[in-house]
Amino acid sequence: MSVLVFADSSENKFKKTTFEAVSYGKKVAELLNTSLIVLTINGGNATELYTYGAETVVEVKNDLKIFNTKAYASIIKQVVENKGIDTVILDSSVNGLTLGAFLSVELEAGYVSNVIGEPLSTSPFVVKRKVFSNKALAHTEISTSKRIIGIAKNSFGIYEHKVDGKLESFEATLPELNVISKEINKATGKVSLADADIVVSGGRGMKGAENWGMLEELADVLGAATACSKPVSDLHWRPHSEHVGQTGKPISCNLYIAVGISGAIQHLAGVNSSKVKVVINNDKDAPFFKSADYGIVGDAFEIVPQLTEKLKEFKQH
Ligand SMILES: Cc1cc2nc3c(=O)[nH]c(=O)nc-3n(C[C@H](O)[C@H](O)[C@H](O)COP(=O)(O)OP(=O)(O)OC[C@H]3O[C@@H](n4cnc5c(N)ncnc54)[C@H](O)[C@@H]3O)c2cc1C
């Protein structure tokens, strides 16, 4: 029985969350005294995965140019059955979360998402996970013979563990698909919220859609994605895809900059596990300051342009 990590990729490049999932997989394989297999589907360069401990990289190449849950779950299932896998590890990207639920049905495997840290024990198999919008931790036992673990972003870390890995190609059959393997739209150059290390987020304090230019400029300088609070997307100032929080996308980035956001619990629930939070708000009593690492009390319309200029100057040196 081995451990399998699915290495998610986009446009033939592995995502950062993939390296964390492989690092985690290596740890689990060590604890279970078994080997680590990493599966890539039209992914990047396998040698990158050897760096993090992938002893075997199983490579599937086909015409699929976009992520398709049914096809990917089918390929993973074929590899699981072919290699005698009992533990599958996924990251918590949108793809990973969709696959987890689908695969658990396909494999009749127990699936636990939002897992942090290494397993607490392997017999019984118990993991620690974040629950209730990250307000509490639960110890969850997975008692099925096959198990799927979805690890929370930025919860384990990326560790180098160089091995002389080997590459195997795998011929997988594809199920009948409704979605044709069409070309993905060329990248717009914008950083996707799901993969972003830095997020610049705006709230109702931004007063209107017309003022988002300054947040986009700040995001551009930082190589960040943009996000917003719920009322902002409800008011159609920004698309719903940017809404973060309890009912929006949960994010866990390295740097979250909140501009004109009060810090309601429903907002915090989706962003609080970000490593460093910077809050810009003109109300010194705004609740967000309580969970901020750095706070700036003042008018966003004065502070943000100054911050952007300073960062531009800094980047030139
Ligand atoms: C069931 C439920 C689920 C919810 N889910 C979510 C969710 O997923 N995500 C989410 O965001 N919300 C969610 N909400 C809504 C949440 O309760 C808050 O209403 C919302 O987060 C407030 O958004 P805001 O901070 O942008 O606006 P406000 O609360 O109106 O805050 C605006 C802030 O901007 C500041 N400000 C104003 N002018 C300036 C200026 N010139 N410069 C700097 N600062 C300024 C103000 O001081 C204020 O703090 C949910 C609510 C419910 C009931």
Side-chain angles (χ1 to χ4, degrees):
M1 288 293 184
S2 308
V3 173
L4 180 82
V5 173
F6 166 60
D8 199 10
S9 56
S10 171
E11 296 186 33
N12 308 108
K13 280 202 186 101
F14 293 120
K15 297 180 179 173
K16 214 171 145 196
T17 47
T18 293
F19 302 130
E20 186 171 30
V22 176
S23 304
Y24 183 82
K26 184 69 191 166
K27 185 73 213 175
V28 175
E30 275 171 9
L31 292 172
L32 292 172
N33 208 10
T34 184
S35 60
L36 174 64
I37 300 175
V38 177
L39 166 65
T40 79
I41 303 175
N42 304 316
N45 184 347
T47 49
E48 287 186 66
L49 302 172
Y50 304 150
T51 310
Y52 304 100
E55 284 138 351
T56 306
V57 174
V58 172
E59 189 177 59
V60 172
K61 294 263 183 217
N62 55 30
D63 294 334
L64 272 178
K65 292 211 170 69
I66 50 170
F67 174 80
N68 179 296
T69 314
K70 193 173 166 191
Y72 275 48
S74 164
I75 296 169
I76 297 174
K77 185 180 180 195
Q78 290 169 56
V79 174
V80 163
E81 285 168 356
N82 182 277
K83 301 283 177 196
I85 305 286
D86 62 359
T87 306
V88 177
I89 291 163
L90 304 169
D91 66 16
S92 290
S93 62
V94 179
N95 294 353
L97 290 171
T98 327
L99 271 174
F102 211 91
L103 255 185
S104 97
V105 176
E106 293 278 309
L107 296 174
E108 294 186 8
Y111 166 48
V112 181
S113 61
N114 238 355
V115 170
I116 58 167
E118 59 188 76
L120 298 169
S121 74
T122 53
S123 183
F125 202 96
V126 181
V127 289
K128 189 153 69 163
R129 61 188 300 251
K130 297 193 276 188
V131 290
F132 300 126
S133 302
N134 306 334
K135 285 262 176 289
L137 294 174
H139 292 182
T140 305
E141 180 182 336
I142 315 177
S143 53
T144 45
S145 58
K146 286 193 178 63
R147 54 186 91 93
I148 304 169
I149 302 171
I151 63 158
K153 191 177 167 191
N154 281 335
S155 65
F156 184 74
I158 298 175
Y159 298 100
E160 290 201 5
H161 196 301
K162 279 202 177 83
V163 290
D164 292 326
K166 66 170 191 271
L167 184 65
E168 283 179 19
S169 62
F170 187 87
E171 288 292 325
T173 47
L174 283 181
E176 245 179 61
L177 300 173
N178 298 330
V179 181
I180 322 145
S181 318
K182 58 181 177 185
E183 292 279 348
I184 349 168
N185 293 332
K186 269 273 158 257
T188 56
K190 281 191 75 180
V191 181
S192 93
L193 193 48
D195 301 324
D197 266 340
I198 307 176
V199 173
V200 173
S201 190
R204 205 149 38 181
M206 292 302 297
K207 319 281 190 228
E210 67 281 7
N211 297 323
W212 241 263
M214 66 181 190
L215 294 190
E216 282 175 337
E217 205 181 340
L218 175 60
D220 264 359
V221 177
L222 289 167
T226 47
C228 66
S229 66
K230 183 173 182 294
V232 165
S233 68
D234 290 346
L235 289 161
H236 303 293
W237 294 354
R238 299 298 288 177
H240 275 290
S241 56
E242 288 195 4
H243 156 203
V244 290
Q246 187 183 328
T247 47
K249 277 195 184 118
I251 54 167
S252 183
C253 54
N254 284 326
L255 173 61
Y256 184 72
I257 304 178
V259 186
I261 300 178
S262 56
I265 43 167
Q266 296 90 354
H267 184 85
L268 293 177
V271 304
N272 229 354
S273 58
S274 295
K275 275 203 184 125
V276 176
K277 291 177 284 288
V278 176
V279 170
I280 302 171
N281 198 303
N282 63 1
D283 173 7
K284 69 173 177 31
D285 298 319
F288 215 148
F289 283 123
K290 289 205 179 100
S291 19
D293 297 282
Y294 299 94
I296 305 173
V297 180
D299 185 355
F301 294 85
E302 286 173 19
I303 292 162
V304 173
Q306 285 181 38
L307 186 59
T308 308
E309 281 316 307
K310 282 275 170 228
L311 285 164
K312 278 185 188 162
E313 279 171 29
F314 180 76
K315 275 179 89 173
Q316 275 162 4
H317 294 116

